[in-house]
Amino acid sequence: FIYTWIIQKRKLQDSVELGLLLGKMGPDDVYIKGANALDPKGNAGVLFANPAGGSIGKVMKVARERKFKIIIPIGLEKLIPVSISEAAKKAGFRKVNKAMGLPCGLIPINGKVITEIDAIKILTGATATPIAAGGLKGAEGAIVLSIEGSQKEIDTLQEKIKEIKGAVLPKLNLKSCSKCRLSVCHFRKTRPFWAQ
């Protein structure tokens, strides 16, 4: 499964087919899966376009059987103002007449959700409160946090932030719409208007 990183005994391993990977996992293992939506109660959801629930459907089924943990890191910029269950009822690729690309459903996922607030508490012990969001010129999706804690907790947090500030994301290998093989995509084999 080409979009999966496998870390075993602190070393990055060669990627394998998802089914083979899941078949080897057990109670001492962790599957980390990013999500697309977060609701005010801390529930997460993942977009999918496969009738069988996509890869996350398979992961959740095997996790119940093999008892491994699922951790869901998600940024507060993905917070939606309705419950994930309500959003999931409104989403659905079978209900879509027109889409700006691939019609998707939304599946609620179970696991340990970790936001920036949780990460700060885990790493430093400090308490974070979101006070603003968004911006321009690279600050799109940004979250402004007010931090409360001891001097040691604040100093530790500042050091952690310095370690990651300015990190460069890996380049994405995005496919061209004209080479798309997904028959359900509404822009399949065409050049979307925004790319012209």
Side-chain angles (χ1 to χ4, degrees), residues 42 53 70 93 110:
I70 299 176
F93 49 88
N110 298 320

Side-chain angles (χ1 to χ4, degrees), residues 85-189:
S85 60
E86 184 181 341
K89 288 176 190 169
K90 296 291 183 182
F93 49 88
R94 290 191 177 106
K95 300 176 185 176
V96 176
N97 293 328
K98 288 191 180 247
M100 299 281 287
L102 188 63
C104 296
L106 182 72
I107 185 170
I109 58 173
N110 298 320
K112 175 69 176 162
V113 173
I114 306 281
T115 68
E116 297 92 328
I117 295 168
D118 305 305
I120 288 167
K121 190 71 167 172
I122 291 165
L123 293 171
T124 70
T127 302
T129 303
I131 61 170
L136 297 171
K137 236 175 145 78
E140 300 84 352
I143 298 294
V144 179
L145 301 169
S146 173
I147 310 296
E148 294 177 273
S150 68
Q151 190 61 53
K152 182 181 178 195
E153 290 169 344
I154 301 299
D155 291 344
T156 301
L157 179 58
Q158 283 192 311
E159 288 307 311
K160 298 277 183 201
I161 290 170
K162 285 177 187 174
E163 288 175 20
I164 60 171
K165 189 79 172 161
V168 178
L169 297 174
K171 291 195 180 207
L172 298 175
N173 186 15
L174 300 175
K175 293 179 181 169
S176 164
C177 288
S178 62
K179 296 178 183 173
C180 181
R181 294 189 322 239
L182 297 170
S183 60
V184 292
C185 181
H186 289 212
F187 282 120
R188 183 173 181 252
K189 304 276 187 207

Side-chain angles (χ1 to χ4, degrees), residues 34-55:
N36 301 103
L38 175 71
D39 74 15
K41 291 193 175 175
N43 301 303
V46 171
L47 294 173
F48 71 103
N50 182 309
S55 61

